[in-house]
Amino acid sequence: MTLPPDRVMKEAISSKDPSRDGQFFYGMVGTGIFCKPSCTSNQIDLEKLEFFRTIKDATQAGYQPCKACLLNPDWAGSISLIKIARYIEDHADEKLTLSSLSGMAGVSPSRLQRAFKKAFGVSPKSYQDAIRIQMFKYFLRKKSGSITEAIYDSGFGSISRVYGEESRSLGMQPKSYKAGGAGEVIFYACRDTTYGLVLMAATGKGVCFLQFGQQKQSLLTALSTEFPKAELICSPAQEAPELDNWIDAVNLHLSNGAPKPDLPLDMQGTAFQIKVWKFLLSIKEGDTLSYGEVANQIGRPTAFRSVATACAKNRIAVLIPCHRVLRGDGSLGGYRWGSERKQALLDMEKQRQRD
Ligand SMILES: [Zn+2]
């Protein structure tokens, strides 16, 4: 799990900065005690510290929670506060409610909320969010590595290690999809490319949204319309370069003839839509099929209208190449991001086949 830079953590500890609480813990070598950044009870030798992302990491390294800051003296169940924090760490990717957590502690939700905040500096919800954001960045980073080498040379072999092949193109069940991304954290970045403005968004599983547009605001509106209940977090370049790398890879593909980057995808839709989208991934660059041919190939020969609809509902432009599906008469058919872009993509791909 990733930690803030050493310098940042040491500054936070020196200034006892409460805004860093929940982001990391530090152990004092030789004492066996670990604290939160804002702890005021110690004389600290900045050269004799060990840093931990989670309470679990700190306790596994043999440290005990500091009585002054983490074992909140106002809270009779302070040991169970530590247990609850560890429970949050272990279940950070699940939907946790204050009432279920307070049930575990045997106190009222409001009491837990206050005590937890006093001990850890953040509410249980913020603590969970902080862990999830770190997990997300960690996963992205593990997968992207050196983007050009990993993507273009090896077909991005590390993805399957991190995600497992099946979850790489994992689709949510229709039921959870209807929930509009409830309980999900989605990071997004908006950048200029050869094909205009692009907004890319990703969950911890992969890219869930890639769209072209004229204005950032309308792209953002489109994203929040697709995932009305998700928590959308703008990813500033300096904090999460991964999305930028991924957008760069797409842009290199569009502008410089680099292969289509094999990024992890989080396809969210109905079972039928996911079936169509997965099939689209198998259409080779330079090839095109009609909606009817796609319907045939997925074993639903009469469903060509539904295939067309599934293509129209594709949220992940270019990476799921719905532009390679045309009308039966060979005419262009629709494209969510404009028929000019569709034609340009097809021309580029044909050109590349000739080169
Ligand atoms: Zn302390």
Side-chain angles (χ1 to χ4, degrees), residues 136-242:
F136 176 86
K137 289 185 177 173
Y138 173 77
F139 282 133
L140 281 187
R141 212 160 277 151
K142 266 205 100 129
K143 276 179 290 130
S144 59
S146 159
I147 196 90
T148 40
E149 290 154 42
I151 293 177
Y152 299 139
D153 297 346
S154 74
F156 226 13
S158 60
I159 293 171
S160 49
R161 278 207 302 282
V162 175
Y163 285 108
E165 207 44 51
E166 70 291 341
S167 61
R168 214 195 109 206
S169 43
L170 188 81
M172 286 169 93
Q173 292 305 309
K175 201 172 145 218
S176 52
Y177 165 58
K178 283 201 189 103
E184 290 210 75
V185 179
I186 295 178
F187 288 80
Y188 67 89
C190 199
R191 304 284 183 263
D192 240 335
T193 71
T194 315
Y195 278 53
L197 211 53
V198 149
L199 190 144
M200 185 187 275
T203 67
K205 296 191 194 90
V207 178
C208 63
F209 184 96
L210 174 63
Q211 306 224 349
F212 299 103
Q214 307 288 341
Q215 287 163 340
K216 188 177 175 187
Q217 195 48 51
S218 57
L219 284 167
L220 256 177
T221 305
L223 177 65
S224 59
T225 306
E226 295 285 355
F227 303 99
K229 293 186 181 159
E231 186 182 347
L232 305 177
I233 299 177
C234 182
S235 159
Q238 64 277 23
E239 278 188 26
E242 301 81 14

Side-chain angles (χ1 to χ4, degrees), residues 268-287:
Q268 304 195 8
T270 65
F272 181 83
Q273 288 169 346
I274 288 167
K275 190 169 190 174
V276 171
W277 296 336
K278 282 186 173 172
F279 178 79
L280 298 183
L281 291 174
S282 72
I283 304 178
K284 284 211 273 308
E285 183 171 304
D287 287 354

